[in-house]
Coordinates of all heavy atoms in Angstrom, one line a residue:
W126 N -13.3 -5.2 10.5 CA -12.5 -6.2 9.7 C -11.8 -5.4 8.6 O -12.4 -4.5 7.9 CB -13.4 -7.2 9.0 CG -12.7 -8.4 8.5 CD1 -12.6 -9.6 9.2 CD2 -12.0 -8.6 7.3 NE1 -11.9 -10.5 8.5 CE2 -11.5 -9.9 7.3 CE3 -11.7 -7.8 6.2 CZ2 -10.8 -10.5 6.2 CZ3 -11.0 -8.3 5.1 CH2 -10.5 -9.6 5.2
G127 N -10.5 -5.7 8.4 CA -9.8 -5.0 7.3 C -8.4 -5.7 7.2 O -7.8 -6.2 8.1
R128 N -7.9 -5.6 6.0 CA -6.5 -6.1 5.7 C -5.8 -5.0 4.9 O -6.2 -4.6 3.8 CB -6.6 -7.4 4.9 CG -7.3 -8.5 5.6 CD -6.4 -9.1 6.7 NE -7.0 -10.3 7.3 CZ -7.8 -10.3 8.3 NH1 -8.1 -9.1 8.9 NH2 -8.3 -11.4 8.8
I129 N -4.7 -4.5 5.5 CA -3.8 -3.6 4.7 C -2.5 -4.2 4.5 O -1.8 -4.7 5.5 CB -3.7 -2.3 5.5 CG1 -5.0 -1.6 5.7 CG2 -2.7 -1.3 4.9 CD1 -5.1 -0.5 6.7
I130 N -2.0 -4.3 3.3 CA -0.8 -5.0 3.0 C 0.1 -4.0 2.2 O -0.3 -3.5 1.1 CB -1.1 -6.3 2.2 CG1 -2.0 -7.2 3.0 CG2 0.2 -7.0 1.8 CD1 -2.9 -8.1 2.2
N131 N 1.2 -3.7 2.7 CA 2.1 -2.7 2.1 C 3.3 -3.4 1.5 O 3.9 -4.3 2.1 CB 2.6 -1.7 3.2 CG 1.4 -1.0 3.8 OD1 0.5 -0.6 3.2 ND2 1.5 -1.0 5.2
I132 N 3.6 -3.0 0.2 CA 4.8 -3.7 -0.4 C 6.0 -2.8 -0.3 O 6.1 -1.7 -0.8 CB 4.5 -3.9 -1.9 CG1 3.1 -4.6 -2.1 CG2 5.6 -4.6 -2.6 CD1 3.1 -6.0 -1.5
S133 N 7.0 -3.3 0.5 CA 8.3 -2.6 0.7 C 9.3 -3.2 -0.3 O 9.0 -3.5 -1.5 CB 8.7 -2.8 2.1 OG 9.9 -2.1 2.3
S134 N 10.5 -3.5 0.1 CA 11.6 -4.0 -0.8 C 12.7 -4.4 0.1 O 13.0 -3.9 1.2 CB 12.0 -2.9 -1.7 OG 13.2 -3.2 -2.4
I135 N 13.5 -5.3 -0.4 CA 14.8 -5.7 0.2 C 15.7 -4.5 0.4 O 16.4 -4.4 1.4 CB 15.5 -6.8 -0.6 CG1 16.7 -7.3 0.1 CG2 15.8 -6.3 -2.0 CD1 17.4 -8.5 -0.5
N136 N 15.6 -3.5 -0.5 CA 16.4 -2.4 -0.4 C 16.0 -1.4 0.6 O 16.7 -0.5 1.0 CB 16.6 -1.7 -1.8 CG 17.3 -2.6 -2.8 OD1 18.1 -3.4 -2.4 ND2 17.1 -2.3 -4.1
G137 N 14.7 -1.5 1.1 CA 14.3 -0.8 2.3 C 14.8 -1.4 3.6 O 14.8 -0.8 4.6
Q138 N 15.3 -2.7 3.5 CA 15.8 -3.4 4.6 C 17.3 -3.2 4.7 O 17.9 -3.1 5.8 CB 15.4 -4.9 4.6 CG 13.9 -5.1 4.7 CD 13.6 -6.6 4.5 OE1 14.0 -7.2 3.5 NE2 13.0 -7.2 5.5
K139 N 18.0 -3.3 3.6 CA 19.5 -3.3 3.6 C 20.1 -2.1 2.9 O 21.3 -1.9 3.0 CB 20.0 -4.6 3.0 CG 19.9 -4.7 1.5 CD 20.6 -5.9 1.0 CE 20.6 -6.0 -0.5 NZ 21.4 -4.9 -1.1
G140 N 19.3 -1.2 2.2 CA 19.9 -0.1 1.5 C 20.4 -0.6 0.2 O 20.6 -1.8 -0.1
Q141 N 20.7 0.4 -0.7 CA 21.2 0.1 -2.0 C 21.9 1.3 -2.6 O 21.4 2.5 -2.5 CB 20.1 -0.4 -3.0 CG 20.6 -0.7 -4.4 CD 21.6 -1.8 -4.4 OE1 22.8 -1.6 -4.2 NE2 21.2 -3.0 -4.7
I142 N 23.1 1.2 -3.1 CA 23.8 2.3 -3.8 C 22.9 2.9 -4.9 O 22.4 2.1 -5.7 CB 25.2 1.8 -4.3 CG1 26.1 1.4 -3.2 CG2 25.8 2.9 -5.2 CD1 27.4 0.7 -3.6
G143 N 22.8 4.2 -4.9 CA 22.1 4.8 -6.0 C 20.6 4.9 -5.7 O 19.8 5.4 -6.5
Q144 N 20.2 4.5 -4.5 CA 18.7 4.5 -4.2 C 18.5 5.0 -2.8 O 17.7 4.4 -2.0 CB 18.2 3.0 -4.3 CG 18.0 2.6 -5.7 CD 17.1 1.3 -5.8 OE1 17.1 0.5 -4.9 NE2 16.5 1.2 -7.0
T145 N 19.1 6.1 -2.4 CA 18.8 6.6 -1.0 C 17.4 7.0 -1.0 O 16.7 6.9 0.1 CB 19.7 7.8 -0.7 OG1 19.7 8.8 -1.8 CG2 21.2 7.4 -0.5
N146 N 16.8 7.6 -2.0 CA 15.4 8.0 -2.0 C 14.5 6.8 -1.9 O 13.6 6.7 -1.1 CB 15.1 8.8 -3.3 CG 15.6 8.2 -4.6 OD1 16.1 7.1 -4.6 ND2 15.4 9.0 -5.7
Y147 N 14.7 5.8 -2.8 CA 13.9 4.6 -2.8 C 14.0 3.8 -1.5 O 13.0 3.3 -0.9 CB 14.3 3.7 -4.0 CG 13.5 2.5 -4.2 CD1 12.2 2.5 -4.8 CD2 13.9 1.2 -3.7 CE1 11.5 1.4 -5.0 CE2 13.2 0.1 -3.9 CZ 11.9 0.2 -4.6 OH 11.2 -1.0 -4.8
S148 N 15.3 3.6 -1.0 CA 15.5 2.9 0.2 C 14.9 3.6 1.4 O 14.3 2.9 2.3 CB 17.0 2.7 0.4 OG 17.6 1.9 -0.6
A149 N 15.0 4.9 1.5 CA 14.3 5.6 2.6 C 12.8 5.4 2.6 O 12.2 5.2 3.6 CB 14.7 7.1 2.4

Side-chain angles (χ1 to χ4, degrees):
W126 200 97
R128 299 287 186 266
I129 297 167
I130 301 148
N131 303 314
I132 308 300
S133 180
S134 166
I135 185 175
N136 292 339
Q138 296 175 302
K139 72 176 187 63
Q141 179 62 278
I142 294 170
Q144 287 195 330
T145 52
N146 49 4
Y147 183 82
S148 295

